[in-house]
Amino acid sequence: MAILDILSFPDPRLRIEASPVVVFDSALQRLIGDMKETMYAEGGIGLAATQVNEHRQLLVMDVSETRDQFRVFINPELTFASGSETCEEGCLSVPGVYAEVSRASEIGVRAQNPDGSYFEVTLTGLDAVCLQHEMDHLKGK
């Protein structure tokens, strides 16, 4: 595995909208491993493929304090969003900058696992905030 370079704002590549993942092969598995290692090395709780100049709908996250609940979401889609909460967010692509952002407090997500199988999950709290933040990256926001 390798530590990947994270694009920094205002790099225009951060504005590229990610394409769906269609091939679930060893190269994808390697990218997931590299993104995991990069996220942990940089002290982040989430990382979108866009941030490492891979414009595919892939994000990784681990919001746990113990850093042992690594999750992968491929081709994520929100199935519902409800409630609202505002919290301070940071971003590995904008180091040292934090801003108050309003997000849905509960979301439903349909996504794929690294093997291509589908799953659905309901997220709340920091999990919901993190996933929405990383999905924004996949949309070029």
Side-chain angles (χ1 to χ4, degrees):
M1 287 190 277
I3 304 288
L4 304 172
D5 290 331
I6 297 175
L7 300 177
S8 294
F9 181 80
D11 192 309
R13 294 172 290 180
L14 289 167
R15 299 281 184 206
I16 297 171
E17 190 167 338
S19 299
V21 172
V22 294
V23 177
F24 295 80
D25 60 3
S26 61
L28 179 66
Q29 305 307 315
R30 189 170 37 261
L31 176 58
I32 291 168
D34 290 347
M35 287 177 62
K36 177 182 182 180
E37 187 171 344
T38 302
M39 179 186 71
Y40 286 140
E42 295 298 325
I45 62 170
L47 185 65
T50 300
Q51 292 176 274
V52 294
N53 202 29
E54 289 285 340
H55 303 286
R56 296 187 259 175
Q57 293 179 12
L58 162 65
L59 65 90
V60 300
M61 56 187 261
D62 183 348
V63 303
S64 69
E65 288 184 25
T66 53
R67 312 299 279 159
D68 61 355
Q69 296 176 26
F70 180 73
R71 300 170 92 170
V72 178
F73 294 82
I74 300 170
N75 301 325
E77 302 172 12
L78 293 186
T79 57
F80 75 87
S82 64
S84 180
E85 67 179 87
T86 300
C87 63
E88 189 174 74
E89 291 185 24
C91 180
L92 293 175
S93 291
V94 191
V97 176
Y98 298 88
E100 294 288 321
V101 180
S102 292
R103 304 246 185 225
S105 56
E106 181 178 25
I107 58 172
V109 182
R110 182 173 194 265
Q112 288 174 274
N113 288 305
D115 65 5
S117 63
Y118 284 91
F119 68 95
E120 291 191 31
V121 65
T122 299
L123 301 176
T124 59
L126 188 54
D127 285 300
V129 168
C130 183
L131 188 115
Q132 290 171 85
H133 177 105
E134 301 310 332
M135 284 185 70
D136 280 351
H137 281 298
L138 299 180
K139 296 173 187 169
K141 294 183 181 179

